[in-house]
Amino acid sequence: MQLQTKNFGEITVDENDIITFPAGIPGFEDLKRYTLLGKQETEALFFWLQSIDEPSLAFVVVDPFSINPGYFVDADDSEMEEIDIKNPEDVLTLAIVTVPENVKNTSVNLKAPVLINLKNNMGKQIVMKNETFPVKYYIMNG
Amino acid sequence: MLVLSRKKGQSIMIGHDIEISIIDVQGEQIRLGINAPRSVTIHRKEVFEEIIQENKQAASTAISPDIIRTMRIEKKEDES
């Protein structure tokens, strides 16, 4: 499938690379289909969760474990069931990055990670109840 | 919206397996107890709204992918 994106020009998306978010992403509930861009690039720290249905929408994402070695995910049963997670090893965990105009204030949302079940390509952004990790975890000190 | 009056110690049932109890009332502060199956997700509304705001901010970045690709973070020590 061809997609004319705002950030990356025209891209080709294989049907097998489409990730379905049954509930969308909070704030974007109507957009259910996404794909990952730029993840294959070597040493890529940041990559993109590109909306299929809204080509101008792409979230910057990062592997939260790479920026905070003490990170962990605590998901409810209901959240796991929603995307049919049977084995934690099947899950790709991403965190959404907020890049403001002053990039020094770039932050990562560690409280609400995006879980992707690689077995069925279903995704969900969960909101952890514990107060361990903040919505804005700043990654550029100074 | 259905509006019910309840006193401390009373509760309401939602369906047959969700119970919300008034544990305590002190001025404007009300403590609720919630009994629900583990399959039901419960959040403070303001937390959920904070996530929506953060997602909208993240989605509206003005910084180009070419610049984001070159960004390097300050490596943090393991804080755990």
Side-chain angles (χ1 to χ4, degrees):
Chain A
M1 137 193 280
Q2 298 292 112
L3 197 63
Q4 188 65 43
T5 68
K6 177 180 150 207
N7 286 319
F8 307 99
E10 184 166 285
I11 59 167
T12 304
V13 179
D14 192 300
E15 292 285 331
N16 297 325
D17 293 333
I18 294 177
I19 302 157
T20 302
F21 286 66
I25 286 176
F28 303 87
E29 287 79 2
D30 295 340
L31 306 176
K32 314 280 192 193
R33 298 184 303 162
Y34 290 83
T35 193
L36 288 173
L37 295 181
K39 193 174 184 308
Q40 301 79 6
E41 291 168 32
T42 51
E43 296 188 28
L45 179 61
F46 301 105
F47 42 105
W48 283 266
L49 188 63
Q50 167 71 51
S51 169
I52 301 285
D53 307 304
E54 175 49 67
S56 68
L57 176 65
F59 292 100
V60 183
V61 290
V62 68
D63 168 7
F65 301 100
S66 74
I67 59 156
N68 184 334
Y71 192 62
F72 61 86
V73 173
D74 183 11
D76 282 352
D77 288 359
S78 63
E79 294 167 327
M80 307 266 278
E81 282 166 16
E82 195 172 316
I83 54 172
D84 202 23
I85 294 171
K86 297 203 162 60
N87 186 345
E89 291 172 7
D90 300 334
V91 177
L92 173 67
T93 303
L94 305 174
I96 295 178
V97 184
T98 302
V99 188
E101 291 213 16
N102 180 354
V103 296
K104 286 278 182 203
N105 293 328
T106 293
S107 63
V108 177
N109 185 347
L110 293 184
K111 187 176 180 67
V114 172
L115 307 185
I116 295 170
N117 183 351
L118 297 173
K119 286 281 182 206
N120 58 13
N121 273 352
M122 287 172 76
K124 180 174 179 61
Q125 184 180 27
I126 70 163
V127 183
M128 293 200 278
K129 287 196 184 58
N130 65 60
E131 303 292 326
T132 313
F133 301 109
V135 173
K136 282 187 185 289
Y137 181 81
Y138 293 97
I139 55 175
M140 323 276 260
N141 302 335
Chain B
M1 181 189 285
L2 172 67
V3 179
L4 297 172
S5 292
R6 298 275 69 192
K7 293 186 171 119
K8 182 177 159 182
Q10 295 182 325
S11 62
I12 64 165
M13 296 295 298
I14 299 175
H16 68 281
D17 55 6
I18 299 175
E19 180 179 15
I20 298 175
S21 312
I22 310 301
I23 305 289
D24 199 12
V25 182
Q26 297 213 336
E28 290 202 330
Q29 187 101 355
I30 297 166
R31 297 186 71 216
L32 299 176
I34 302 162
N35 261 320
R38 281 188 57 85
S39 60
V40 175
T41 302
I42 300 158
H43 289 295
R44 289 180 172 88
K45 187 179 178 184
E46 63 271 23
V47 172
F48 203 69
E49 286 177 342
E50 185 184 7
I51 300 302
I52 289 175
Q53 287 311 312
E54 190 66 22
N55 283 346
K56 289 188 172 171
Q57 201 186 336
S60 63
T61 184
I63 308 300
S64 80
D66 287 339
I67 291 173
I68 291 171
R69 268 196 198 92
T70 63
M71 283 167 47
R72 291 290 173 265
I73 62 165
E74 306 270 329
K75 271 285 178 191
K76 298 216 172 188
E77 298 300 316
D78 190 346
E79 291 164 3
S80 62

